[in-house]
């Protein structure tokens, strides 16, 4: 997949017909897939792909990578797949290898600072 820049906006096309995405993000597609599964352990692969902005085939490959590396487990439940996150796995990059991914999962599971109970009472 090649990235196409759209003018000086700092955006690139994610895939043909898909919405434009920023030219770079802080998290990789692997991180976004892991967060999608953590948020919904019964999510469909097609829904992961749509949420992350990648193809279904790419989502399947990333799920395979994450499972092979021990970050998640897949189990068939009837005709569906249920994912279980293994949160005490360490990040793979040497600069962050001392940290476990559960910190990232907690960060994104928590409500944003402006979405907490205090923000609701201020409105």
């Amino acid at each position: 997949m090649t990235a196409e820049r759209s003018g000086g906006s700092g955006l690139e096309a994610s895939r043909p017909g898909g919405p434009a995405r920023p030219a770079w993000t802080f998290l990789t597609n692997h991180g976004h897939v892991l967060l999608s599964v953590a948020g919904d352990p019964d999510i469909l692969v097609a829904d992961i792909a749509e949420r992350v902005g990648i193809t279904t085939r790419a989502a399947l490959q990333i799920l395979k990578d994450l499972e092979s590396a021990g970050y998640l487990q897949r189990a068939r439940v009837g005709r569906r797949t249920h994912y279980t996150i293994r949160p005490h796995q360490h990040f793979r990059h040497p600069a962050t290898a001392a940290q476990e991914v559960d910190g990232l999962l907690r960060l994104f599971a928590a409500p944003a600072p402006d979405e907490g109970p205090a923000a609701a009472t201020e409105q």
Side-chain angles (χ1 to χ4, degrees), residues 6-121:
S6 64
S9 67
L11 299 176
E12 63 184 31
S14 59
R15 58 184 164 161
R21 297 188 339 178
W24 64 272
T25 64
F26 283 103
L27 298 178
T28 65
N29 288 343
H30 282 68
H32 286 289
V33 169
L34 186 66
L35 289 170
S36 294
V37 169
D40 181 0
D42 297 309
I43 192 169
L44 298 172
V45 175
D47 293 337
I48 293 171
E50 183 177 336
R51 183 178 294 173
V52 177
I54 58 178
T55 64
T56 302
R57 179 173 283 197
L60 283 168
Q61 182 59 51
I62 290 171
L63 287 166
K64 182 179 174 185
D65 291 346
L66 292 171
E67 184 177 30
S68 296
Y71 291 97
L72 62 83
Q73 292 177 313
R74 290 191 268 187
R76 296 293 292 180
V77 178
R79 295 178 59 186
R80 302 286 299 266
T81 301
H82 177 81
Y83 301 94
T84 303
I85 300 292
R86 299 185 63 220
H88 298 295
Q89 303 301 311
H90 291 266
F91 285 100
R92 295 169 55 95
H93 193 281
T96 54
Q99 302 294 319
E100 295 178 349
V101 298
D102 62 338
L104 177 74
L105 299 174
R106 278 194 312 270
L107 174 68
F108 282 92
D114 62 341
E115 294 177 6
T121 59

